[in-house]
Amino acid sequence: MNRQRGLALSALLLWGVVIALVSIIVIRILPEVTEYYKIRQAVKAVASESSGKTVPEIRQAFGKYAEVEHVKTIGPADLDVFKEENQIVVAFAYEKRIPLIANVSLLIDFHGSSSGRNLGQ
């Protein structure tokens, strides 16, 4: 006799809820992650073009990149500009709170630098 195999309706509903919750989280997080990568790319571009520039000029250059890329999360004043091993390093750090459902939210700490190392905060 052939034995039937498959999912029960309750298991199908459970997996549907799990997939829906994961999808909601991914949809809410994805724009913030793409903005982080835009900021990181702009910081690296500004740092690579920073030879002989002052700190205000570096911040102004980042402001132009941020305006073109539509970055609203951080501004030029939020950058840390310093020298490390005779190279200019531009670093940033910020927190982003993402509301998920009702009063539940997700807090992500973003930080990066033009040196390639993440400077822990």
Side-chain angles (χ1 to χ4, degrees):
M1 189 167 219
N2 287 338
R3 196 171 157 209
Q4 291 185 355
R5 298 172 70 176
L7 282 176
L9 183 59
S10 60
L12 182 64
L13 288 174
L14 178 69
W15 279 109
V17 168
V18 169
I19 290 172
L21 290 175
V22 169
S23 299
I24 288 171
I25 291 172
V26 168
I27 288 170
R28 300 260 178 145
I29 292 175
L30 195 60
E32 306 305 330
V33 172
T34 57
E35 186 166 22
Y36 165 74
Y37 282 110
K38 285 181 186 179
I39 293 169
R40 200 172 87 176
Q41 182 181 11
V43 163
K44 286 185 179 185
V46 167
S48 68
E49 300 168 357
S50 67
S51 62
K53 291 186 179 179
T54 63
V55 172
E57 290 173 338
I58 292 170
R59 290 184 177 178
Q60 183 180 19
F62 176 79
K64 290 178 183 177
Y65 274 98
E67 187 176 337
V68 169
E69 292 291 332
H70 302 291
V71 173
K72 304 288 185 210
T73 305
I74 66 170
D78 299 324
L79 297 178
D80 294 327
V81 182
F82 57 92
K83 270 194 161 184
E84 184 178 86
E85 297 176 3
N86 209 16
Q87 286 186 334
I88 293 185
V89 176
V90 182
F92 63 94
Y94 64 96
E95 291 181 347
K96 190 66 178 180
R97 186 175 304 271
I98 304 166
L100 296 176
I101 300 170
N103 62 350
V104 177
S105 62
L106 178 67
L107 179 66
I108 302 176
D109 289 324
F110 291 107
H111 51 86
S113 72
S114 61
S115 69
R117 294 185 310 128
N118 282 337
L119 304 173
Q121 294 286 325

